[in-house]
Amino acid sequence: MTVTQDISILSLITQASVLVQLVMALLAGLSVVSWYWIFRKAFQIRAARAKTDEFERDFWSGGDINTLFDASSRHETGGMERIFQAGYREFTKLRSKGHDHNATLDGARRAMRATYQREVDDLEGHLAFLASVGSVSPYIGLLGTVWGIMNAFRGLSNVGSATLAHVAPGIAEALVATAIGLFAAIPAVVAYNRFAHDIDRLSIRFESFMEEFSNILQRNLR
């Protein structure tokens, strides 16, 4: 077998020790799963942003709140619209029961806050997995690298005269594990940071809407 064949990527993977192959397989699996959630979260956040933009346009267009509430029950809603539904539903229920103004407004705010928490939790789902992949994958790859280098040097102890042809395959095999670890970690870290930023922006918009809608409800109680 030639040196070129020995250090080809496929040969390095197939001829690696069992532990290094297990590390590579684990990292490849983590990479596949993380890419799955990267695409899922990207579509979810994009849809949430589009639904929020659409609802804000409808809400601030000056239409009647009762009409908007009735219309929202006839189509698929986004996070901000569900917050609106929860708050207005609780507001009308408490007002019809004759509660005082403060209790009615506090109940609407609590309903909106509970829905807000559920929406943000749903958007943040599986972000912890991406963060874990981004932080742990390089260390898993490093474990495979250290083990591969140890095997390479143990093999050299049985060789009378070590040359580059003897050293290169073992070292290259070990470094493949680190490369796969970085390949799994870098997209996960970039995606996590991006998604966390986008979710923060959406949560700020949700909170601003809750405050503005609470003011509108308060004026309706006067």
Side-chain angles (χ1 to χ4, degrees):
M1 182 177 291
T2 66
V3 174
T4 302
Q5 292 173 323
D6 287 341
I7 62 175
S8 65
I9 299 298
L10 183 59
S11 296
L12 293 175
I13 294 174
T14 57
Q15 296 176 12
S17 61
V18 175
L19 179 60
V20 176
Q21 287 182 337
L22 289 175
V23 168
M24 293 178 181
L26 175 60
L27 290 172
L30 289 176
S31 179
V32 170
V33 176
S34 67
W35 274 108
Y36 169 79
W37 284 113
I38 286 171
F39 284 112
R40 282 286 302 272
K41 298 306 293 185
F43 289 131
Q44 181 186 15
I45 293 173
R46 181 182 301 174
R49 189 187 300 116
K51 287 289 185 182
T52 300
D53 293 340
E54 180 182 358
F55 176 72
E56 281 188 324
R57 286 194 301 268
D58 294 339
F59 184 84
W60 297 112
S61 63
D64 181 66
I65 293 180
N66 289 312
T67 303
L68 184 62
F69 178 79
D70 293 337
S72 66
S73 62
R74 295 193 294 268
H75 62 264
E76 183 180 355
T77 58
M80 185 178 289
E81 196 164 2
R82 285 188 286 270
I83 292 171
F84 160 75
Q85 288 177 332
Y88 194 66
R89 185 182 298 112
E90 188 70 11
F91 174 80
T92 54
K93 181 175 69 175
L94 294 177
R95 187 173 60 174
S96 65
K97 291 182 178 180
H99 289 270
D100 62 79
H101 291 182
N102 289 334
T104 300
L105 191 59
D106 288 343
R109 285 173 174 167
R110 286 194 299 270
M112 288 191 291
R113 176 60 59 176
T115 305
Y116 163 82
Q117 292 293 343
R118 288 193 294 269
E119 293 299 326
V120 173
D121 287 344
D122 183 59
L123 288 173
E124 290 179 343
H126 298 94
L127 283 190
F129 173 78
L130 294 179
S132 298
V133 171
S135 60
V136 172
S137 293
Y139 295 102
I140 298 176
L142 184 61
L143 171 63
T145 298
V146 171
W147 186 265
I149 291 176
M150 289 170 56
N151 282 339
F153 279 108
R154 279 202 300 266
L156 290 178
S157 64
N158 300 323
V159 178
S161 178
T163 64
L164 180 62
H166 293 107
V167 177
I171 301 298
E173 165 198 315
L175 293 177
V176 169
T178 298
I180 297 176
L182 293 176
F183 180 78
I186 292 174
V189 170
V190 172
Y192 172 82
N193 291 332
R194 179 62 188 179
F195 294 157
H197 174 266
D198 291 342
I199 292 171
D200 284 342
R201 295 286 299 274
L202 280 172
S203 65
I204 291 172
R205 294 175 67 179
F206 291 167
E207 288 180 328
S208 299
F209 171 77
M210 287 191 295
E211 290 299 320
E212 293 168 338
F213 188 47
S214 296
N215 291 335
I216 293 174
L217 294 178
Q218 187 174 19
R219 288 195 295 269
N220 288 341
L221 288 173
R222 294 175 183 174

